[in-house]
Amino acid sequence: MNDFHYEIKREGTNSVKWDLRKTIFGKEDVLPMWVADMDFAPPPMVIKELEKRLEHGIFGYTFIGERTASSIQNWLHTRHNWSIETDSLLYSPGVVPAIATIIQAHTQPNDRIMLQSPVYTPFFNMVEANQRVVENCPLVLNKGYYEIDFEAFEKSLQNGVKLFLLCNPHNPSGRVWTKDELMKIAELCLKYDVQIVSDEIHSDLVFSPHKHVPIASLDKKYENITITLMAPSKTFNLAGLQASFMVIPNKHSRKKIEEAQKRQGFFTLGTFGIAGMEAAYEFGENWLESLLEYVKENIELTKKFITSEIPQLEVVEPEGTYLIWIDCRNTGYDDKEIASRLLEKGKLALEPGPKYGPGGEGFVRMNIACPRNMLLEGLDRLKRSFE
């Protein structure tokens, strides 16, 4: 079993998080707690399976076999009580490329695509890069808790929206949408003939008593209008293996996406992406339970520290993910000053809230999936930033 306290040096591995600090933040001496990958090694059995594949020594063209599909099918049934057919699966190097492909397959230039800010930055980027129009229906922050204004949601759908990009669990806030909220979303999307693209990449990282519910699992009629995007990358810290999957029960929708992938020249996942995905879903469950305990303790530590040591900041309580959305508005500083203080005084690299669209102003996002000593160092730097 992993020792989550153990610090692994990541410099010199082409790590985006560690080796691009100078490029992204202009400084080498900042502690990086920004991009969403963990500073933990993946499950030992995943490493063992990858080593076994490496030892074979030949890495010719590889196809995605039935073992991969079965491992996903079993995982979704065990973890999320969701029964899928293996022929509903398509694969992609990542959730963001999958979103781009779906946009190209299901919409035309200038079509409207709805999202809910503040939200994962590539939602905006992929809509705009493909010459589609963002229809933003912002979430409402009510006493530290994000909610959906369903009246505004319906009005937005009435503007000719073709796709709705759902983020569940929500990044950056950590909200895990309830069954009732998801059913309201699905009913409205059915009413206005809007396809749901549900990014559920953080679905395995949810803390009791909250429970992740795949929106497509709630009813056959919802399943028919939903494309679900998942991956082992966040759960098991395997983002560099570039392997994700789509669950698309609707045959017509699946065929359109397959055709779009063919136009892009996509054929298969890499050898190690396939092996890593299979191993994670077959052998990773006990490791994940240990990880969730450790991350939950990190979250509690972060909340207590900020409440007692930096009371002008407020934590939005995360129900899932290992990301902490921190409200800095009571400091009286604007986003430029917040960023400057973090980098100059605290030597701390966090994600600036405005990256996540309207509603992100005055916030920062902090990744706390790291060994405890590193977290304590990061929290001290956060305190220093606002002294």
Side-chain angles (χ1 to χ4, degrees), residues 35-52:
V35 72
D37 73 6
M38 300 190 276
D39 287 302
F40 306 129
M45 276 299 291
V46 174
I47 295 172
K48 192 174 174 184
E49 289 293 303
L50 291 172
E51 285 172 343
K52 193 194 298 182

Side-chain angles (χ1 to χ4, degrees), residues 239-310:
L241 295 186
Q242 301 276 289
S244 78
F245 62 92
M246 300 174 252
V247 185
I248 317 169
N250 184 307
K251 288 180 186 174
H252 177 65
S253 176
R254 196 163 66 244
K255 188 167 185 289
K256 286 174 86 165
I257 291 163
E258 276 183 305
E259 287 169 354
Q261 287 189 317
K262 282 175 187 169
R263 288 194 296 274
Q264 294 167 352
F266 175 76
F267 164 59
T268 189
L269 299 177
T271 302
F272 291 96
I274 296 167
M277 186 185 287
E278 290 171 355
Y281 289 144
E282 288 174 14
F283 307 118
E285 190 160 26
N286 289 338
W287 179 92
L288 174 58
E289 292 301 333
S290 300
L291 171 82
L292 288 170
E293 282 179 34
Y294 194 88
V295 170
K296 181 64 176 168
E297 288 167 8
N298 275 3
I299 289 169
E300 293 305 318
L301 174 63
T302 302
K303 282 161 50 187
K304 281 179 188 161
F305 184 95
I306 288 175
T307 301
S308 65
E309 301 294 327
I310 331 172

Side-chain angles (χ1 to χ4, degrees), residues 357-373:
E361 303 86 359
F363 287 77
V364 292
R365 192 191 77 173
M366 185 177 195
N367 175 358
I368 53 84
C370 60
R372 192 82 19 93
N373 283 342

Side-chain angles (χ1 to χ4, degrees), residues 9 11-12 15-32 34 343-344 347-349 381:
K9 296 288 284 180
E11 289 97 334
S15 163
V16 169
K17 188 179 194 175
W18 288 86
D19 289 330
L20 290 184
R21 286 175 289 179
K22 184 79 189 299
T23 305
I24 293 167
F25 296 99
K27 290 179 171 296
E28 291 275 12
D29 61 347
V30 291
L31 181 66
W34 62 290
L343 291 175
E344 301 300 331
K347 308 288 187 189
L348 182 63
R381 290 177 184 230

